[in-house]
Amino acid sequence: MVETKIFSVAPENIDAGVILSAVDVVRQGGLVAFPTETVYGLGADALNARAVEKVFEAKGRPADNPLIVHVSGEDRLFDFVDEMPAIGSELIKHFWPGPLTLVVKRTFLVPDIVAAHLDTVAVRMPNHPVALALLREFGGGVVAPSANLSGRPSPTTAQHVLNDLRGKVDMILDAGPTSIGVESTVVDITSDPPLILRLGGLPLERIAEVASKVRMSKEIELLQRSPGTHHRHYAPAAMVVLVDEGNQEAYAAAVQTHRQQGKKVGAIVHSVALANLERSEFVHALPNSFEIIARKLYSLLRSLDDAGVEVIVIEAVQDIGLGAAIMDRLRRAAESS
Ligand code: TXA
Ligand code: MG
């Protein structure tokens, strides 16, 4: 056990002293949780295999699930990336810093544990002033999986990190709730056409404007290229039941069935049709906006779990743009219920 220190950092007025002490922790092989624009990450020196091992231990993460190396710019990739395909530079030009992770061929410097023994590495430049200040000051690459216990919803606040990792992380940089709320989009560009391995904060449609042939990976390709994805993911402890958007009958039936079984039922809805059906403590009605639903989703799943809710009925969103990433997480959560 370590003593977990928390520092508040104002993104618009970053305390250089706090960043320096965070960098010290990383240099000494410790763990620092920090905000990105997507979710909070659990950071460690990407070239220090023992530090990276601590990340796996702290999260209880299966060893076959590789990590993303975070950098402060394309010019910091040389230690990690063996070959950047032209399409990669093009995507970087358009979308970095931002919620886009690229999977590329790795160098021999990348510890095997980072890449889960694959011959590739995932890299990303986050778009958050605190993350960038830390990465710039450190100078190298920082591995950062989402800073949650493996299998739980990713953390969008420092409190979520503390709830999962108190005593296991040396320092948490708290810059308030993250703005996007779902993880980065992961694109494998070792093959042509590029393959989406995980939908996320950067919509597929935006990527297609730059890489017109990009497509979703099939299940089998995903398992070959990203073996760790078969593990349980993004799920609250409660059972998740998905109902079609605006379907009052399906919603009422789902709620009733589980209530009749004596279960504590909660809900997350956004359409007027469902929001007006019932108001209660555990029913959260969100505005009908992908951005807001993405930003609030994990936090609501966690708070419903904390309240002891056993079944969460969630209204599906349209499967386009950021909605596709939301639906991906909701389906996974519903599947593992
Ligand atoms: O938004 C994000 O990406 C956050 C923040 C902290 O940056 N990080 C994050 O990391 O979500 P994590 O570890 O929770 O998810 C990493 C994803 C996993 O789906 C993993 O399979 C994939 O990236 N990945 C990492 N390295 C890979 C590789 N070499 N090949 C294929 N997939 C890889
Ligand atoms: Mg994760």
Side-chain angles (χ1 to χ4, degrees):
M1 292 286 272
V2 298
E3 190 204 335
T4 300
K5 296 198 182 76
I6 306 189
F7 292 92
S8 277
V9 195
E12 67 287 355
N13 181 20
I14 296 172
D15 182 336
V18 172
I19 297 298
L20 286 174
S21 31
V23 166
D24 258 353
V25 173
V26 175
R27 289 224 166 96
Q28 286 166 31
L31 307 187
V32 175
F34 62 94
T36 77
E37 79 281 34
T38 58
V39 301
Y40 276 75
L42 180 59
D45 180 352
L47 293 179
N48 179 339
R50 173 60 201 133
V52 177
E53 201 181 323
K54 284 197 223 161
V55 170
F56 279 86
E57 283 164 12
K59 284 181 56 90
R61 184 179 178 104
D64 64 356
N65 198 359
L67 304 180
I68 301 170
V69 175
H70 295 62
V71 292
S72 63
E74 191 179 5
D75 61 335
R76 298 280 108 188
L77 289 175
F78 48 85
D79 277 344
F80 306 96
V81 176
D82 187 40
E83 191 196 310
M84 181 56 76
I87 191 66
S89 311
E90 206 50 35
L91 288 166
I92 285 173
K93 209 164 72 197
H94 282 83
F95 301 119
W96 278 16
L100 170 67
T101 294
L102 297 174
V103 171
V104 288
K105 289 270 182 263
R106 68 171 164 121
T107 65
F108 64 91
L109 284 177
V110 176
D112 284 337
I113 184 173
V114 169
H117 296 271
L118 299 170
D119 60 1
T120 54
V121 66
V123 292
R124 120 167 168 92
M125 178 188 185
N127 188 15
H128 191 291
V130 174
L132 288 172
L134 175 70
L135 294 169
R136 269 192 213 111
E137 188 61 39
F138 177 63
V142 169
V143 290
S146 50
N148 51 285
L149 287 174
S150 204
R152 299 207 64 204
S154 293
T156 54
T157 68
Q159 186 63 49
H160 297 157
V161 179
L162 194 63
N163 293 349
D164 279 18
L165 299 176
R166 187 196 287 273
K168 296 176 170 179
V169 47
D170 297 284
M171 188 183 286
I172 302 174
L173 302 180
D174 179 358
T178 59
S179 60
I180 295 181
V182 292
E183 303 83 351
S184 63
T185 304
V186 180
V187 185
D188 185 330
I189 54 170
T190 61
S191 64
D192 187 16
L195 284 181
I196 306 258
L197 300 183
R198 177 177 75 180
L199 290 164
L202 183 67
L204 170 64
E205 294 87 337
R206 300 272 324 273
I207 297 173
E209 288 165 16
V210 176
S212 57
K213 289 185 294 173
V214 68
R215 64 173 175 84
M216 278 303 297
S217 59
K218 302 198 180 77
E219 192 65 20
I220 177 80
E221 291 165 326
L222 184 60
L223 288 177
Q224 283 161 359
R225 287 156 193 269
S226 203
T229 49
H230 66 87
H231 298 290
R232 187 168 186 272
H233 265 116
Y234 315 109
M239 176 184 183
V240 170
V241 178
L242 262 178
V243 299
D244 286 343
E245 193 166 35
N247 190 334
Q248 295 187 331
E249 293 74 33
Y251 176 81
V255 169
Q256 254 177 27
T257 312
H258 291 100
R259 279 210 183 116
Q260 275 163 5
Q261 294 168 4
K263 298 258 172 62
K264 194 164 173 180
V265 178
I268 304 174
V269 300
H270 61 269
S271 70
V272 177
L274 298 199
N276 288 335
L277 276 185
E278 65 166 313
R279 292 282 157 95
S280 85
E281 199 186 343
F282 303 125
V283 176
H284 294 274
L286 295 175
N288 194 352
S289 142
F290 289 154
E291 279 69 31
I292 297 176
I293 295 169
R295 193 177 302 151
K296 305 245 161 158
L297 181 64
Y298 290 154
S299 184
L300 288 176
L301 294 178
R302 279 174 177 262
S303 73
L304 289 167
D305 265 353
D306 293 346
V309 165
E310 294 157 287
V311 178
I312 310 176
V313 180
I314 308 185
E315 182 176 11
V317 300
Q318 260 190 303
D319 227 325
I320 54 167
L322 187 57
I326 296 170
M327 280 307 289
D328 170 74
R329 305 306 188 267
L330 292 180
R331 287 197 191 99
R332 287 168 192 274
E335 259 168 36
S336 59
S337 288

